[in-house]
Amino acid sequence: MASFIIEGGHPLSGTITPQGAKNEALEVISAVLLTAEEVVIRNIPDIRDVNNLIQLLADIGVRVRRLGRNDYSFRADSVSLDYLEGDEFVRKCAALRGSVLLIGPLLARFGKAVIATPGGDKIGRRRLDTHFLGFKALGAEFRHVEERNVYEIAAGRLEGRYMLLDEASVTGTANIIMAAVFARGTTTIYNAACEPYIQQLCHMLNRMGARISGIASNLLTIVGVESLHGTAHTILPDMIEVGSFIGMAAMAGDGIRIKDVSLRNLGIIPEAFRRLGVRMQTEGDDIIIPRQEHCEIESFIDGTIMTLADAPWPGLTPDLISVLIVVATQARGSVLFHQKMFESRLFFVDKLIDMGAQIILCDPHRAVVVGHDHARRLRAGRMASPDIRAGIALLIAAMSAQGTSRIDNIEQIDRGYEDIEVRLNSLGARIRREG
């Protein structure tokens, strides 16, 4: 198990560029299975979860060529259906949550899929009902094979139909879209997720010959086609990494520029940090965060305590709640965080409390942070990363703390952030990897 040793208290300055979006990468890479022609994808983040999915595609027979560190060519013209039903494929799927996104394209193109219960962050219940209900609505049949803990899904040609999703699941929406592109007739998906990741997937599929309308709304219409062709696609910058860097700059920065952030695709993220008092400017497609002497948390117009809650897009992404909590510990004032979408993601605040933060964990979904306004800096500690986003939040906390901290289980951070210690050290951080 690898660890980070972080010497806190060193101000960061300079310029940093976000990687490609992890969540978009998992979707569009899975979509290469929908055609036998070449698909070129650029700006793929060089991170564990994405690399494991690429290797999984290679294992099932997709021809993968690396054109550069972040650019790949894929050609799914010789997929091994026998391998897809084997135990080795099931075992690899079980270790990678992103593997669930293979079901839709496999079902659409080959008429069957075998998938294990996928792994990933231990952040609470992340059910697959939306995926399976969508596939079933299109005409697929599935069964759970308990002795192997796999799902077998099969269908002839899928049939388009209207469906109202029980939740606006991002991966569920992506999976159903990919399954529906070959369905006979018209598929209408209401209460669809409409995150930029989903928009990008739809635009890519349309360039491949799909007929998807309603992009960027929660009502998608998909007219089935007979086949798709190849294309080239460039992944957006990762908005979660952009938000992480805003938080890092607020806590430990001495003037940081975040380049090429795709401002129009950040939604409410900059405003959420502004509500905590973080000052920033924009210049072109860059965000500039000056040194923050004081951050004062806003109150609502009637004077009541500020509440920040996650919500489906265009609401605040749950992936940044942990970073916002860390920033709030050193702001002036109090704020209630309401993590609605996952019931285990706030448990990491115990580690911040050990570092000297004043946080009241009300229940698994709500925490009140009383900011120190830098009067009491966080102190160094030893901790372990429970998931990707809590891991980066703890890293930010450690960089701003007094003394030397140790974060274990940093493999979780590596799943979502490319060369993070190298990039932060170039700004002045003191982070060393061990193990």
Side-chain angles (χ1 to χ4, degrees):
M1 180 183 293
S3 303
F4 279 148
I5 310 300
I6 307 103
E7 186 179 308
H10 296 280
L12 312 182
S13 62
T15 298
I16 193 165
T17 303
Q19 67 189 27
K22 172 200 169 189
N23 291 340
E24 180 188 337
L26 295 174
E27 294 174 12
V28 299
I29 290 171
S30 298
V32 306
L33 288 170
L34 290 166
T35 179
E37 297 185 17
E38 182 184 38
V39 177
V40 174
I41 305 178
R42 302 185 180 91
N43 200 32
I44 294 176
D46 187 6
I47 56 178
R48 177 171 301 185
D49 276 10
V50 172
N51 292 340
N52 286 346
L53 182 62
I54 292 172
Q55 183 58 53
L56 190 59
L57 288 177
D59 290 341
I60 67 177
V62 177
R63 289 192 282 168
V64 179
R65 284 191 303 124
R66 196 170 191 173
L67 308 177
R69 179 172 185 185
N70 302 107
D71 302 336
Y72 284 81
S73 164
F74 302 89
R75 188 183 290 270
D77 58 355
S78 54
V79 173
S80 171
L81 297 181
D82 290 337
Y83 183 85
L84 288 169
E85 297 179 358
D87 288 339
E88 183 178 352
F89 176 71
V90 169
R91 176 179 56 80
K92 290 183 177 181
C93 288
L96 176 64
R97 180 157 188 90
S99 64
V100 72
L101 287 161
L102 301 179
I103 305 177
L106 287 173
L107 188 61
R109 186 171 167 207
F110 301 107
K112 60 181 179 179
V114 177
I115 200 84
T117 302
D121 289 330
K122 306 305 180 186
I123 58 175
R125 181 178 59 89
R126 302 176 82 179
R127 59 189 178 87
L128 299 177
D129 298 55
T130 303
H131 304 245
F132 291 140
L133 290 172
F135 299 143
K136 187 175 181 180
L138 294 171
E141 297 180 354
F142 66 93
R143 69 186 184 95
H144 183 215
V145 183
E146 292 187 7
E147 59 270 22
R148 297 178 67 202
N149 196 25
V150 301
Y151 294 94
E152 293 181 351
I153 309 168
R157 183 166 183 184
L158 300 171
E159 298 286 341
R161 62 162 291 176
Y162 171 87
M163 64 184 77
L164 173 61
L165 302 189
D166 62 334
E167 64 173 348
S169 164
V170 177
T171 53
T173 299
N175 237 340
I176 296 167
I177 290 169
M178 289 188 283
V181 290
F182 291 156
R184 184 183 290 110
T186 300
T187 301
T188 303
I189 308 173
Y190 198 22
N191 195 31
C194 53
E195 274 81 353
Y197 317 131
I198 294 291
Q199 298 172 37
Q200 285 283 96
L201 173 66
C202 291
H203 289 310
M204 172 180 161
L205 292 173
N206 279 349
R207 289 196 303 274
M208 295 170 70
R211 297 175 62 189
I212 306 171
S213 58
I215 299 172
S217 78
N218 68 348
L219 180 62
L220 293 175
T221 301
I222 305 166
V223 179
V225 297
E226 293 294 328
S227 63
L228 297 181
H229 52 75
T231 192
H233 178 79
T234 300
I235 292 172
L236 288 173
D238 195 315
M239 64 179 175
I240 310 304
E241 191 168 75
V242 172
S244 301
F245 291 155
I246 294 173
M248 174 196 70
M251 288 290 286
D254 192 22
I256 290 178
R257 176 187 290 265
I258 310 172
K259 283 192 66 64
D260 301 328
V261 301
S262 188
L263 279 166
R264 68 185 183 87
N265 287 298
L266 292 182
I268 201 173
I269 290 172
E271 179 60 25
F273 284 97
R274 288 190 179 101
R275 289 180 180 179
L276 297 183
V278 178
R279 294 175 291 107
M280 64 186 83
Q281 298 97 41
T282 58
E283 188 175 289
D285 219 15
D286 299 352
I287 294 177
I288 302 165
I289 301 100
R291 180 181 179 87
Q292 309 286 314
E293 296 294 344
H294 297 281
C295 295
E296 184 160 356
I297 299 169
E298 294 180 358
S299 297
F300 287 118
I301 293 174
D302 62 359
T304 55
I305 186 172
M306 173 59 61
T307 299
L308 291 178
D310 61 338
W313 185 269
L316 179 61
T317 170
D319 286 344
L320 281 175
I321 292 290
S322 54
V323 173
L324 288 159
I325 287 174
V326 170
V327 173
T329 66
Q330 294 300 309
R332 178 189 296 158
S334 300
V335 56
L336 169 66
F337 288 95
H338 193 171
Q339 168 65 268
K340 299 177 182 179
M341 297 173 70
F342 301 106
E343 67 269 17
S344 303
R345 228 172 191 170
L346 292 183
F347 291 154
F348 88 103
V349 302
D350 285 348
K351 300 172 178 64
L352 297 178
I353 293 170
D354 290 342
M355 298 176 76
Q358 291 188 318
I359 303 175
I360 303 166
L361 185 60
C362 308
D363 55 45
H365 291 278
R366 295 177 300 163
V368 175
V369 180
V370 180
H372 293 166
D373 192 23
H374 299 287
R376 290 194 306 168
R377 286 178 56 190
L378 298 176
R379 55 180 177 265
R382 179 164 184 169
M383 58 208 91
S385 172
D387 63 73
I388 300 174
R389 308 309 175 186
I392 199 68
L394 293 173
L395 182 58
I396 292 169
M399 287 191 293
S400 69
Q402 292 177 314
T404 300
S405 298
R406 181 187 184 98
I407 302 178
D408 298 321
N409 196 30
I410 60 170
E411 290 83 1
Q412 289 285 353
I413 302 174
D414 290 338
R415 289 178 49 220
Y417 293 86
E418 179 180 306
D419 290 343
I420 190 64
E421 78 274 22
V422 175
R423 297 159 73 199
L424 297 185
N425 284 343
S426 70
L427 299 178
R430 301 279 181 88
I431 304 170
R432 186 175 79 254
R433 181 183 291 260
E434 285 190 353

